[in-house]
Amino acid sequence: MMVQLKHDRVGCRFVTDRLAMPTFKAKMRELLSSRTLTKADMAQFVNSNAPTGFRATLTKRHSEAGTDVDASVPRSIHVADSTVLRWMKLCDAVYGRHVKGFSDRRNDADIVDEVREYGFEMTELQKRMELWLKVPLTGEIVIADRLRCDDRSIEEGTRFDFETFYKLSGTPPPEHCKYNHAEGRCRCQLPIIHWGHDEAVFWANSLSSMEWTIDGERNLRPKNPGRGIMVSAFVCEKRGFGIHVTKDEWALLEPIFADVVDEHPWFRIP
């Protein structure tokens, strides 16, 4: 069995060991059964010098068979992820979309990448939000994570003394608008109040629609999503969950609330 084991200056060279591929394939089946089979996990297995790594496992299997590891197999193996992926394909492993049973798109790579890009975007936008304070001892400008979203202090109006990162640092926001807003309508220099509302159901059997198969065999998957938990809320990083208002703001809203509460019973607070 030809197995690609290490790199030289001209690329990858191959060595022969009859138990190399069965050892590699057995590890793939082990990870497949636990739904943890990935290229990264197999690369860690191959490159590991631990007793549970590829080289040590190969030596153990040869010892049990009463044979020796092929002399061309190095004692320390270091290969790239792309090489590991080729080995997996040589073992008849195929990565594709699951067509039976329940799957959840939120775990697919493209959705994960989109969420990651959103995080990078928000890292810049939050500098325009009034969430920042300056640490007295160090002068460092940080987000007031442990001070915001406190219901009582929000209602008292004592948590609204934060500033934007740009105001505390004394630097202006970027002058160039990267969103191509029309001239005269761009508001990218103004502070942001970040409100959000969403709802999502988290299922017990949430799995990606993409999976590995070995020799056409796949791991058993549930045929239904299982029990779900629904999460729904308004949230603001400055005011917390549930749109809390200060006492002064409520004094302005209460007459309006009183006019509509009888007409719309769902406004009644138990």
Side-chain angles (χ1 to χ4, degrees), residues 3-7 11-12 14 24 38-44 46-47 78-91 93 212:
V3 183
Q4 191 173 9
L5 284 179
K6 67 178 184 178
H7 293 276
C12 297
F14 289 77
F24 185 82
T38 64
K39 178 180 64 176
D41 287 328
M42 289 305 299
Q44 183 178 1
V46 171
N47 294 321
H78 299 284
V79 296
D81 288 359
S82 58
T83 299
V84 174
L85 181 59
R86 287 195 291 271
W87 291 8
M88 296 175 73
K89 292 180 178 179
L90 285 173
C91 290
W212 284 98

Side-chain angles (χ1 to χ4, degrees), residues 28-45:
M28 282 205 307
R29 289 190 176 279
E30 175 189 330
L31 295 178
L32 180 69
S33 65
S34 61
R35 296 197 181 103
T36 57
L37 176 59
T38 64
K39 178 180 64 176
D41 287 328
M42 289 305 299
Q44 183 178 1
F45 168 68

Side-chain angles (χ1 to χ4, degrees), residues 20-228:
M21 195 63 76
T23 301
F24 185 82
K25 197 168 186 175
K27 182 63 176 180
M28 282 205 307
R29 289 190 176 279
E30 175 189 330
L31 295 178
L32 180 69
S33 65
S34 61
R35 296 197 181 103
T36 57
L37 176 59
T38 64
K39 178 180 64 176
D41 287 328
M42 289 305 299
Q44 183 178 1
F45 168 68
V46 171
N47 294 321
S48 174
N49 293 321
T52 55
F54 175 69
R55 184 61 170 81
T57 304
L58 181 63
T59 301
K60 182 179 178 181
R61 295 193 63 171
H62 273 286
S63 177
E64 294 171 349
T67 56
D68 296 324
V69 179
D70 193 282
S72 59
V73 180
R75 291 192 174 276
S76 182
I77 300 173
H78 299 284
V79 296
D81 288 359
S82 58
T83 299
V84 174
L85 181 59
R86 287 195 291 271
W87 291 8
M88 296 175 73
K89 292 180 178 179
L90 285 173
C91 290
D92 299 315
V94 178
Y95 189 64
R97 190 171 297 281
H98 184 80
V99 295
K100 294 182 179 180
F102 174 74
S103 61
D104 191 339
R105 279 277 292 144
R106 286 176 293 187
N107 294 312
D108 288 354
D110 59 327
I111 302 298
V112 173
D113 290 341
E114 185 176 340
V115 173
R116 185 180 295 111
E117 291 176 4
Y118 172 80
F120 291 146
E121 185 76 12
M122 290 307 299
T123 299
E124 292 301 316
L125 289 179
Q126 69 183 3
K127 293 181 179 179
R128 295 168 52 195
M129 303 177 191
E130 294 178 343
L131 305 173
W132 302 81
L133 56 78
K134 184 174 291 188
V135 180
L137 295 178
T138 64
E140 182 182 7
I141 301 174
V142 299
I143 291 181
D145 287 301
R146 287 177 292 180
L147 300 179
R148 62 189 183 192
C149 300
D150 182 282
D151 297 351
R152 179 175 298 178
S153 59
I154 288 173
E155 293 170 2
E156 294 292 337
T158 60
R159 283 288 188 246
F160 295 166
D161 53 351
F162 307 134
E163 299 291 348
T164 66
F165 174 86
Y166 295 111
K167 185 171 182 178
L168 289 177
S169 64
T171 59
E175 295 183 0
H176 176 68
C177 173
K178 63 179 182 180
Y179 302 104
N180 297 320
H181 293 149
E183 185 176 355
R185 301 187 64 182
C186 179
R187 301 294 184 269
C188 291
Q189 302 293 318
L190 300 179
I192 293 176
I193 298 178
H194 185 205
W195 280 101
H197 173 265
D198 200 1
E199 57 187 35
V201 179
F202 297 90
W203 302 104
N205 300 330
S206 178
L207 297 170
S208 172
S209 61
M210 302 296 290
E211 67 173 357
W212 284 98
T213 60
I214 303 175
D215 296 328
E217 300 177 8
R218 56 170 48 93
N219 194 27
L220 294 176
R221 295 166 63 108
K223 293 185 177 180
N224 59 72
R227 178 172 293 184

